[in-house]
Amino acid sequence: MKLLASTTSPFARKVTMLLHEKHGLERVQVEYLDPWQVPEALVARNPLSKVPTLVLDDHRIIIDSDLICEYLDSHLPGPCMIPESGDAYWHVRAIEALAKGTLEASVAVFLEMQRRPEALRWEDWVQFQRGTINRTLDVLEEQAQSLAAGFDYGAICVVATLGHLDFRQTLPGWREGRPRLAAWYEGVQLRPSVAATMPGEVTPAVD
């Protein structure tokens, strides 16, 4: 299998973190590229020119980070990151959805402030998205104890989200008033899957 990814994409980071946790990097080749450049290697497989994109051994394509992670979790050996059923399953998926909505708001702020021409930027839209981020981080603060209970796919999604907030500085000072969430996030920085997937501006050369 081959994963098309970017070192700056928080959505791709969710997949690479899961691969580290599953010890799946021997089974999945990771190819880094820049989707903003609409590279042929990406659009030939995914017309959306988005990462992550997973190319299966039979050349079928899976897109969307959560769907890719669910596929890999069910097809690779190693620890189960998404429980199969019951309350544990719904808990992880609920955290996943909350983190995903927060991440999408953070990406919206980044695109508005960094990708849109300055004369066209909509400050009210930025503040609306930051309000969304603040409210959901408050909920995650209440969930910090459950996050600390084990490192599952919900935790992976939260790490990717908080990492994007820091990397793109879409909500400076997000730690203020959220000591438990901040402490949990600080504590997981030494986890190999987290440390190995820190976002960076430089895209590695393709092997």
Side-chain angles (χ1 to χ4, degrees), residues 86-98:
D87 288 344
Y89 171 85
W90 293 113
H91 174 73
V92 167
R93 300 317 292 256
I95 295 295
E96 169 199 318
L98 189 64

Side-chain angles (χ1 to χ4, degrees), residues 59-70:
H59 304 297
R60 286 180 297 153
I61 305 299
I62 299 179
I63 61 175
D64 182 84
S65 57
D66 296 320
L67 186 61
I68 291 171
C69 285
E70 185 171 3

Side-chain angles (χ1 to χ4, degrees), residues 42-202:
L42 178 59
V43 297
R45 298 172 173 90
N46 182 352
L48 299 175
S49 190
K50 288 185 176 183
V51 293
T53 294
L54 182 66
V55 184
L56 303 183
D57 292 335
D58 61 6
H59 304 297
R60 286 180 297 153
I61 305 299
I62 299 179
I63 61 175
D64 182 84
S65 57
D66 296 320
L67 186 61
I68 291 171
C69 285
E70 185 171 3
Y71 178 88
L72 292 174
D73 193 38
S74 65
H75 284 76
L76 293 178
C80 179
M81 306 305 294
I82 304 174
E84 293 183 0
S85 61
D87 288 344
Y89 171 85
W90 293 113
H91 174 73
V92 167
R93 300 317 292 256
I95 295 295
E96 169 199 318
L98 189 64
K100 181 178 182 178
T102 312
L103 178 54
E104 289 173 343
S106 181
V107 170
V109 172
F110 166 69
L111 294 178
E112 190 71 25
M113 299 303 295
Q114 300 298 327
R115 292 287 184 176
R116 189 181 297 277
E118 185 174 1
L120 301 177
R121 291 173 191 167
W122 186 7
E123 181 61 27
D124 287 348
W125 177 246
V126 171
Q127 294 309 316
F128 175 83
Q129 298 295 344
R130 285 177 172 162
T132 297
I133 298 170
N134 271 311
R135 290 190 300 272
T136 51
L137 290 183
D138 287 343
V139 175
L140 289 173
E141 168 72 7
E142 297 172 359
Q143 297 284 339
Q145 184 174 353
S146 67
L147 288 171
F151 199 80
D152 54 24
Y153 187 58
I156 284 175
C157 294
V158 175
V159 168
T161 296
L162 299 181
H164 189 265
L165 293 176
D166 280 346
F167 180 54
R168 296 304 191 186
Q169 286 295 291
T170 51
L171 188 69
W174 68 262
R175 293 168 175 80
E176 296 175 9
R178 303 180 183 100
R180 290 173 295 179
L181 182 62
W184 171 80
Y185 182 63
E186 183 67 24
V188 299
Q189 295 306 299
L190 296 179
R191 193 174 184 92
S193 65
V194 177
T197 59
M198 291 294 290
E201 290 288 1
V202 179

